[in-house]
Amino acid sequence: MARLASLSLAGITLAAGVVSALCAVSGAVRAAEPDVVIKRDFGGYVEEYKAKYARIRDSGQRVVIDGICNSACTLVLGIVPTNRICVTPRASLGFHQAYYDKAWTAGVKVTSAAGTAELMTVYPNSVKRWIASVGGLTAEMKKLKNGYDLWMIVDPCPDEF
């Protein structure tokens, strides 16, 4: 009887060890996070977008651009791997020079050469080539809509989008 008790106890210990190991493995293989969908993003502060997209990149999430992605929003193209970004037929990207916060310039739009240079360091070469092909960044928004030029930068989404 004592032998049976020790075998049972050993079996329980072994089973507990297997369960513990399985839990550790399943914790390491977490479920994929849901997609991030961009529909109406007009941009904002560069540093905030860099931090936001770094979190998305690190989480493994995919990004679906399904509408307007202007200004600092476009930094997604240089921070999240492009193989995790896709565009729908409704996608539209808008690029312009960086400018100082209007709160510091009495409401006047004043471009920032340093800020614009920083944007360009983040963009992948495919974006830099497109920007160069349209005359470079200016204070005016340059739009990139669905079609060949956009698909040279980002793949179209699968049909389910």
Side-chain angles (χ1 to χ4, degrees):
M1 184 74 151
R3 183 163 195 241
L4 285 176
S6 68
L7 285 176
S8 287
L9 185 56
I12 291 170
T13 303
L14 177 61
V18 169
V19 169
S20 178
L22 287 174
C23 288
V25 168
S26 68
V29 181
R30 63 182 166 81
E33 296 290 328
D35 294 333
V36 173
V37 179
I38 298 171
K39 288 187 179 262
R40 292 182 52 84
D41 192 324
F42 298 100
Y45 295 107
V46 168
E47 292 307 315
E48 290 176 10
Y49 276 81
K50 286 168 73 176
K52 171 184 172 180
Y53 292 141
R55 285 190 302 274
I56 291 169
R57 177 197 61 217
D58 296 346
S59 75
Q61 291 175 288
R62 295 184 315 164
V63 176
V64 176
I65 303 174
D66 186 37
I68 297 167
C69 177
N70 287 348
S71 194
C73 176
T74 62
L75 290 172
V76 68
L77 301 169
I79 298 172
V80 175
T82 54
N83 67 347
R84 293 199 340 239
I85 304 171
C86 70
V87 292
T88 71
R90 294 175 292 277
S92 171
L93 303 176
F95 300 88
H96 64 82
Q97 289 176 318
Y99 55 91
Y100 293 100
D101 185 339
K102 289 181 185 178
W104 297 102
T105 59
V108 177
K109 190 177 194 179
V110 177
T111 60
S112 165
T116 301
E118 181 181 356
L119 290 175
M120 293 302 287
T121 65
V122 174
Y123 290 139
N125 287 332
S126 56
V127 172
K128 291 175 187 177
R129 280 191 297 274
W130 181 82
I131 289 171
S133 77
V134 295
L137 292 180
T138 65
E140 298 303 314
M141 186 79 67
K142 295 189 178 178
K143 297 276 186 172
L144 179 56
K145 295 186 178 190
N146 191 48
Y148 179 78
D149 286 343
L150 180 56
W151 302 334
M152 292 303 295
I153 296 170
V154 186
D155 288 334
C157 294
D159 290 338
E160 69 261 19
F161 297 104

